[in-house]
Amino acid sequence: MAQEPGATDPAEPGHTRPDPATEHTASSPDSDPCPAPVELSDLAALKALAQPRRQWMLQHLTVRGPATSATLARALGLNTGATSYHLRELARYGFVEETGAAGHGRERWWRAVPGDRRFPPRSRQSPEMRLVMDELNHHAYAADLELFEQLQRDAADEPWADAFPYSRGTIRLTLPELREFFEEYIALLNRYKRPEADTPADARTVLTRFLAFPAQAASAGAPTPGTSPDSAPGSAPDTADDSDDSDDGRESETP
């Protein structure tokens, strides 16, 4: 969850996390469609977010909407005491909030809080923060891959089965260009956001993830860009236009 953060400093490239409150995937009728970026620099907040079960709960709230601790407990295989505790911890740092909706008895409903939450750039992370970020990303990336593969299997015989845009490519950029590229990507996501009242009945929540990283510096004996040392004869090289019209995808959190 996930991406869904990147750096708020325009001089640093950013990355959004998987899910709910941590990226651009959550929205509500009264939320700003283009929220200002907020940097998550509090170590305690990052530790709270790095807990695997909390990441899963945030994703559940983002994809399926508001839920009670009992609903989350059944889905995650925990007791309500555990899920209530995790929800309170997430609420403490602004990742979730109570909806205010009335339920049976003292039932409390929770929702993910939308926003453009970003992580500090690596150069400004303390050694302890880097350990937390590494742990957070490890769980988030693994959860993203597991969810993607599960959804592909489950969607085999339904209309959305072909709606899995996927693209792999390479482009040559300077650092300033990469920062600009990222912000343009966030702006594109915000273009497609709209209030619940304006959303068509057949629309579905689409999870998007963005990941970009520099290739290793060229060295003696290394394969040239766009080729693989074990590629089969006649296979197509990986290029900037290497895309498949059958996927999309971001995490972009958001948070």
Side-chain angles (χ1 to χ4, degrees):
M1 1 191 215
Q3 178 97 192
E4 97 307 206
T8 54
D9 183 347
E12 296 289 347
H15 63 287
T16 49
R17 272 262 42 83
D19 333 56
T22 56
E23 21 325 295
H24 308 261
T25 56
S27 62
S28 61
D30 56 351
S31 63
D32 182 352
C34 301
V38 176
E39 184 174 283
L40 291 177
S41 57
D42 180 45
L43 186 59
L46 293 174
K47 286 183 176 180
L49 187 61
Q51 216 283 347
R53 287 173 177 169
R54 292 172 194 162
Q55 291 189 34
W56 184 94
M57 290 166 68
L58 279 171
Q59 181 160 275
H60 188 284
L61 292 173
T62 298
V63 176
R64 303 194 178 187
T68 65
S69 61
T71 301
L72 294 170
R74 287 192 295 270
L76 192 56
L78 298 174
N79 59 60
T80 55
T83 52
S84 293
Y85 168 74
H86 289 311
L87 285 168
R88 290 195 300 271
E89 287 299 296
L90 290 169
R92 175 187 298 185
Y93 299 104
F95 298 120
V96 303
E97 65 184 5
E98 289 191 63
T99 65
H104 298 291
R106 294 185 298 173
E107 202 171 53
R108 302 165 70 180
W109 286 78
W110 300 84
R111 65 185 173 195
V113 177
D116 183 352
R117 297 178 177 88
R118 305 189 179 192
F119 298 139
R122 192 79 172 175
S123 61
R124 288 200 282 107
Q125 296 175 14
S126 66
E128 184 177 7
M129 183 179 290
R130 288 186 179 186
L131 290 176
V132 173
M133 288 300 306
D134 289 345
E135 182 74 5
L136 190 159
N137 286 327
H138 171 75
H139 291 298
Y141 296 152
D144 284 344
L145 180 59
E146 180 181 356
L147 181 60
F148 179 73
E149 293 177 342
Q150 177 187 337
L151 291 175
Q152 279 190 308
R153 292 191 298 269
D154 295 346
D157 299 317
E158 60 132 321
W160 285 73
D162 295 333
F164 288 84
Y166 176 76
S167 175
R168 297 176 72 247
T170 59
I171 50 178
R172 294 183 64 82
L173 301 172
T174 63
L175 272 175
E177 288 173 336
L178 178 56
R179 294 160 192 149
E180 182 179 359
F181 184 92
F182 174 75
E183 294 301 335
E184 289 182 4
Y185 167 76
I186 298 302
L188 177 63
L189 288 178
N190 287 328
R191 271 180 49 199
Y192 282 87
K193 287 189 176 182
R194 55 194 164 193
E196 188 67 27
D198 297 336
T199 301
D202 60 347
R204 289 180 59 173
T205 297
V206 174
L207 306 181
T208 61
R209 302 293 185 262
F210 175 84
L211 178 65
F213 50 92
Q216 288 184 323
S219 59
T224 56
T227 65
S228 171
D230 57 355
S231 58
S235 60
D238 187 20
T239 69
D241 295 325
D242 176 20
S243 61
D244 183 344
D245 289 339
S246 61
D247 187 308
D248 165 55
R250 185 189 60 132
E251 77 132 354
S252 200
E253 163 149 5
T254 229

